[in-house]
Amino acid sequence: LGYGGFGPECAKEDTVHHHPPRKSAGEVGFPARGGQTLLIAYFPWEASEAEVQAEFEKFSRVKRVHLVVDKSSQKPRCFGFVKFMSKNDAEQALQATAQGLVQLVDSRNHVWHVKAEWTKSGDMVVDDSDAEMEVARRREDRKYRTAA
């Protein structure tokens, strides 16, 4: 990258933006079971859950963020889930991502435009509500029974 001048107005011209592939950008699916959770991708590997939450909270009310990491290496897999307070909040966030407004900056100062879509199997982020804790407990019980 060449920097042709000085000051913030020149730096903006040279900022590198990473957008999701156009082919998949419009594929958002349909809300499933409650429709409060979005699958997110296309963000910097070094992004934290707090940073993702802060960015989405510019557009709607976030309940919880879960970024997926590889179990063996503990390295980020660069996708995750954001659960919102309501379906309306999730829809507002989805619209903001479709417009390229949800952005995270990496350590090189490259701007990543986050992609979001509806989760295929409903709310995959477990929070502290009693109902969701019960669902998580039952899933763990099933895993244990099938593994034994």
Side-chain angles (χ1 to χ4, degrees):
L1 288 176
Y3 290 94
F6 299 98
E9 65 282 347
C10 295
K12 285 185 180 187
E13 290 176 19
D14 293 333
T15 300
V16 176
H17 288 262
H18 298 274
H19 296 273
R22 290 190 195 278
K23 184 177 179 181
S24 69
E27 299 170 8
V28 297
F30 299 96
R33 287 193 281 145
Q36 291 177 265
T37 303
L38 297 177
L39 168 67
I40 62 165
Y42 221 75
F43 54 86
W45 66 268
E46 67 258 65
S48 69
E49 290 179 351
E51 291 168 328
V52 170
Q53 182 166 343
E55 183 61 21
F56 273 99
E57 283 180 338
K58 293 176 182 177
F59 307 99
S60 56
R61 301 172 303 149
V62 175
K63 192 169 191 176
R64 182 151 190 277
V65 174
H66 174 69
L67 301 182
V68 178
V69 296
D70 184 89
K71 289 181 182 180
S72 59
S73 70
Q74 293 303 305
K75 292 184 179 178
R77 298 203 41 212
C78 297
F79 74 94
F81 302 93
V82 180
K83 182 168 186 171
F84 296 89
M85 298 300 271
S86 70
K87 181 179 177 185
N88 187 50
D89 287 312
E91 288 171 340
Q92 289 174 358
L94 187 63
Q95 185 176 22
T97 60
Q99 294 172 358
L101 301 176
V102 180
Q103 303 171 11
L104 293 164
V105 179
D106 69 15
S107 58
R108 304 166 298 174
N109 282 332
H110 290 196
V111 177
W112 292 78
H113 298 265
V114 178
K115 177 179 180 352
E117 62 186 57
W118 293 107
T119 58
K120 292 185 177 30
S121 59
D123 293 331
M124 300 178 77
V125 176
V126 176
D127 58 23
D128 57 357
S129 71
D130 291 339
E132 291 198 25
M133 293 300 281
E134 179 64 20
V135 168
R137 186 186 63 73
R138 288 181 186 175
R139 280 188 191 137
E140 286 301 312
D141 287 348
R142 271 184 273 162
K143 284 182 193 175
Y144 179 73
R145 282 183 289 206
T146 56

